[in-house]
Amino acid sequence: MQDLFVGGMIVGDYIQTHGNGEGGDYASTGTGPDCCHGRSIVPQHMDMAQKPPVKMFMFWCYLIHSAAVRHRPVPKHVLSRRGAISFSSSSSLFGAPDPRQLSQRRGAISYDSSDQTALYIRMLGACVVFKQLFARDVRVRSQVGFEPERRSSHPYLCIDFRTLHTRLSCGSTSASSAPERRVHRLLSFQRYLHSSRLLRGVPQQIPLHILDEDYTGQARCMLEKVGTWNFDIFLFDRLTNGNSLVTLTFHLLNQYGLVELFQLDMVKLWRFLVMVQEDYHSDNPYHNAVHAADVTQAMYCYLREPMLAKSLTSYDILLGLVAAATHDLGHPGVNQPFLIKTDHYLATLYRNTSVLENHHWKSAVGLLRETGLFSHLPAEDSLNMERELGSLILATDISRQNEYLSRFRMHLDQENLCLSNASHRHFILQMALKCADICNPCRPWELSKQWSEKVTEEFFQQGDIEKKHKLEVSPLCDRETNTVGNIQIGFMTYVAEPLFAEWARFSDTRLSQTMLGHMGLNKASWGGLQQEQTSISEEAEHSTAGADTEDAAAQTDGRTAAGGTSSKEIPQGNRES
């Protein structure tokens, strides 16, 4: 076996010296970590109190292998497998120049640099975290969720061991099938499912091969309900380990059959989505990849509305999903007035007109050309797609809200929208993207509140920068004079409600009524919070005023006692005299 470097220690020599592949060096001592079975499997030659940490590492690795095979000898072909232990840096793995490395990665154990006290061990499709590895009180716990890592790290999708063993053993109960089940426990859970389907002649449920098979883990359970309006994008982002935009967009494109229809290269598509996600600034509280994933999910909900589903072409759907995923690409976390008054090069480049939206569009076109995603299409078709992509992204400019809303209202009043017309379909896509971009007030309160706090914090961060450099603070960006509730109530009243009211006229469905209902409830909730904060501040002011009065009275009494005379004592002295 090759030497494997983990955390600065060479452990390959230890495996060669002490691991014979038959389990012969391990014996029961009657005590220890395996107390639930009444015995221990601590190696006879291993003194855990005196040996270096690397031996403790190997001890726990043996524990997990023993648990998988129910303390039976480990087959030699398993020990000879390469790539069982690998060191990975979160930033270098997922953002690798060649995404095909993702499909080649089958490491079971990896050490992540963002958490230097944990090993992530992936066996049978599950993830076990060894916390405090190099301490004496090593604790082992099985994860149903995820250990948070930095964005762009590989998503470790977890399956409960109990569920896994139940699935593996539910096929047959005969004694002759026991050795087969033991072998299955040593294989990847997904490989077992694929091999069993192949043997039974059952076709794959997924029409196209997914680069990373862990995609079919817990995140896939959420993707089955991706069309519901209460889809929790924050939970999905945690389940995908910060890769919600890549996973969601890839799933939707594949679900619509667009990858096959447009003959998109899988590697190019995956690389494009990874680069899109990486170009979103993760340090932005609001305009980040999670917001892009949320907008893409909302766009998918609108594309499923009856008025659109029966009229839009596959080309329209592809364009709408790509535009949703890239609509805020490379957002700097500040608004257009800030870029203009600071003479930013982007403002100069785009002549102070839709500065951010032009930047998002050109950045998306740059990634499309760099990855060559549409390079196999005729040049004219590729250019038309780039132009129409820009038309959709430019429609999200909030400064042009009234322009698009007036045109939308005019079409609805005259009832002259004809979705068989390509230009009308494109206009509806623009309005759908505008609604998806600002749909946060229409989400359920638990989701809407989080988004409101994030966007307000981004406003306040811009205001802090403007104060630091002695610039005029932009409206809504001063944290001393604005609150989340005031900003959200104003946004709903003057921006969101007029837009979604017209959208409900166009598509009077259950979803439209749900969005309007959520917006009304959220607006009332913010109003209630505002009243509570106002009453609390007033009580604080009254208590402060009362305390000041008491302090003044105490100071007066002190001066009276020190001087020996007061207005009350003088009359008493006069009466006595």
Side-chain angles (χ1 to χ4, degrees):
M1 177 179 289
Q2 60 183 355
D3 291 344
L4 301 169
F5 185 82
V6 178
M9 299 176 297
I10 300 294
V11 299
D13 293 337
Y14 181 82
I15 298 174
Q16 292 177 347
T17 304
H18 299 284
N20 59 5
E22 299 294 335
D25 289 342
Y26 297 87
S28 301
T29 62
T31 61
D34 200 26
C35 56
C36 60
H37 296 281
R39 61 191 182 88
S40 173
I41 53 174
V42 178
Q44 292 178 340
H45 62 268
M46 187 177 296
D47 183 0
M48 299 306 293
Q50 298 179 1
K51 299 301 180 180
V54 63
K55 296 191 176 182
M56 178 170 284
F57 163 73
M58 295 309 306
F59 166 67
W60 287 110
C61 288
Y62 183 79
L63 279 183
I64 192 63
H65 277 286
S66 300
V69 297
R70 309 239 182 220
H71 311 305
R72 295 183 180 274
V74 181
K76 292 182 179 180
H77 73 277
V78 175
L79 293 178
S80 64
R81 288 178 58 193
R82 291 176 177 264
I85 305 177
S86 60
F87 177 85
S88 69
S89 171
S90 295
S91 59
S92 63
L93 171 63
F94 200 77
D98 186 2
R100 283 175 294 184
Q101 295 179 5
L102 293 174
S103 61
Q104 299 170 359
R105 178 177 172 80
R106 290 294 180 266
I109 305 177
S110 64
Y111 172 82
D112 189 87
S113 60
S114 64
D115 187 358
Q116 298 183 3
T117 62
L119 277 177
Y120 293 80
I121 299 180
R122 188 173 58 177
M123 293 185 59
L124 310 173
C127 180
V128 178
V129 180
F130 286 69
K131 298 298 280 183
Q132 299 181 359
L133 179 67
F134 303 115
R136 203 174 273 188
D137 57 338
V138 179
R139 296 191 298 271
V140 183
R141 59 188 177 91
S142 178
Q143 290 254 103
V144 179
F146 287 88
E147 191 73 7
E149 293 183 359
R150 296 179 298 174
R151 180 172 300 282
S152 304
S153 59
H154 182 72
Y156 283 82
L157 304 181
C158 310
I159 300 176
D160 195 339
F161 276 113
R162 291 171 295 182
T163 305
L164 178 64
H165 290 164
T166 302
R167 291 183 181 180
L168 289 177
S169 59
C170 65
S172 175
T173 57
S174 62
S176 61
S177 62
E180 182 182 1
R181 290 202 303 270
R182 287 198 299 271
V183 173
H184 286 162
R185 289 194 186 98
L186 296 173
L187 297 176
S188 163
F189 184 52
Q190 296 301 325
R191 290 182 183 180
Y192 164 67
L193 290 180
H194 292 173
S195 61
S196 62
R197 290 195 192 103
L198 183 62
L199 293 176
R200 296 194 306 265
V202 178
Q204 291 277 352
Q205 294 180 355
I206 306 175
L208 291 174
H209 177 67
I210 305 302
L211 292 181
D212 191 348
E213 294 179 356
D214 281 341
Y215 166 81
T216 58
Q218 293 186 33
R220 180 169 176 79
C221 296
M222 287 195 67
L223 288 176
E224 293 176 357
K225 299 182 179 180
V226 69
T228 59
W229 188 246
N230 60 348
F231 187 84
D232 190 345
I233 195 64
F234 298 108
L235 175 60
F236 184 73
D237 190 63
R238 291 192 296 270
L239 290 178
T240 56
N241 215 18
N243 298 300
S244 56
L245 181 58
V246 174
T247 308
L248 179 71
T249 310
F250 190 95
H251 170 78
L252 296 179
L253 293 175
N254 187 46
Q255 179 169 293
Y256 273 113
L258 301 176
V259 180
E260 284 184 311
L261 182 62
F262 290 93
Q263 299 180 352
L264 301 179
D265 184 272
M266 296 285 286
V267 174
K268 292 180 180 180
L269 174 60
W270 190 264
R271 186 179 178 217
F272 169 74
L273 295 177
V274 169
M275 294 175 70
V276 167
Q277 180 173 269
E278 288 300 312
D279 275 6
Y280 279 95
H281 299 176
S282 59
D283 53 348
N284 289 344
Y286 181 80
H287 289 102
N288 49 42
V290 183
H291 166 66
D294 183 64
V295 173
T296 304
Q297 190 271 336
M299 189 68 171
Y300 172 68
C301 292
Y302 299 150
L303 294 178
R304 298 176 67 216
E305 290 287 82
M307 289 286 293
L308 279 71
K310 66 182 181 182
S311 303
L312 296 180
T313 64
S314 299
Y315 176 83
D316 297 328
I317 295 173
L318 174 64
L319 196 63
L321 293 176
V322 173
T326 60
H327 80 282
D328 274 333
L329 189 61
H331 198 291
V334 293
N335 58 20
Q336 175 174 297
F338 180 89
L339 298 178
I340 293 176
K341 67 184 177 183
T342 56
D343 294 328
H344 196 273
Y345 78 94
L346 289 177
T348 304
L349 178 63
Y350 299 114
R351 300 180 181 181
N352 300 340
T353 303
S354 298
V355 176
L356 290 173
E357 289 70 28
N358 274 292
H359 174 57
H360 306 325
W361 170 33
K362 297 301 183 181
S363 299
V365 171
L367 293 184
L368 285 174
R369 295 184 179 182
E370 181 178 351
T371 58
L373 182 60
F374 298 135
S375 59
H376 62 288
L377 300 177
E380 184 177 357
D381 293 343
S382 180
L383 290 177
N384 287 335
M385 179 169 290
E386 291 176 359
R387 282 194 294 266
E388 294 186 11
L389 178 66
S391 177
L392 292 179
I393 295 177
L394 289 175
T396 61
D397 186 354
I398 199 67
S399 64
R400 302 177 61 187
Q401 176 82 358
N402 292 333
E403 172 188 341
Y404 284 93
L405 188 59
S406 299
R407 181 182 171 188
F408 194 30
R409 186 178 292 116
M410 181 186 66
H411 279 301
L412 295 177
D413 292 340
Q414 298 178 359
E415 299 181 355
N416 60 356
L417 274 175
C418 180
L419 296 185
S420 61
N421 188 318
S423 62
H424 285 192
R425 290 199 309 272
H426 186 77
F427 175 69
I428 293 302
L429 281 180
Q430 289 177 321
M431 299 307 300
L433 184 57
K434 287 180 66 64
C435 290
D437 189 25
I438 62 171
C439 71
N440 302 143
C442 303
R443 296 284 190 180
W445 170 251
E446 295 78 11
L447 302 176
S448 178
K449 184 173 182 291
Q450 294 185 64
W451 285 120
S452 300
E453 293 170 347
K454 290 177 180 296
V455 70
T456 306
E457 178 58 28
E458 188 166 299
F459 291 163
F460 290 164
Q461 286 185 6
Q462 175 180 326
D464 295 340
I465 296 174
E466 291 169 335
K467 290 180 182 178
K468 179 180 178 180
H469 296 281
K470 299 180 179 180
L471 300 173
E472 180 183 358
V473 179
S474 301
L476 310 179
C477 294
D478 192 344
R479 65 175 72 243
E480 296 179 0
T481 60
N482 295 279
T483 63
V484 180
N486 284 336
I487 294 176
Q488 290 305 308
I489 291 175
F491 181 77
M492 293 181 195
T493 303
Y494 299 107
V495 179
E497 286 180 348
L499 176 62
F500 284 95
E502 298 302 324
W503 180 263
R505 288 180 59 195
F506 165 72
S507 178
D508 188 10
T509 61
R510 181 178 179 180
L511 175 59
S512 298
Q513 299 305 319
T514 299
M515 291 190 297
L516 292 176
H518 283 317
M519 191 187 313
L521 293 175
N522 295 336
K523 188 176 180 180
S525 298
W526 283 118
L529 290 177
Q530 286 293 104
Q531 292 180 357
E532 292 179 5
Q533 294 176 358
T534 302
S535 60
I536 292 174
S537 61
E538 290 178 354
E539 292 177 0
E541 291 178 359
H542 289 315
S543 61
T544 303
D548 293 342
T549 303
E550 293 177 359
D551 292 342
Q555 293 176 1
T556 302
D557 293 342
R559 288 194 298 270
T560 300
T565 60
S566 69
S567 59
K568 294 182 180 179
E569 294 176 351
I570 292 175
Q572 292 177 359
N574 291 338
R575 285 195 295 270
E576 291 176 358
S577 61

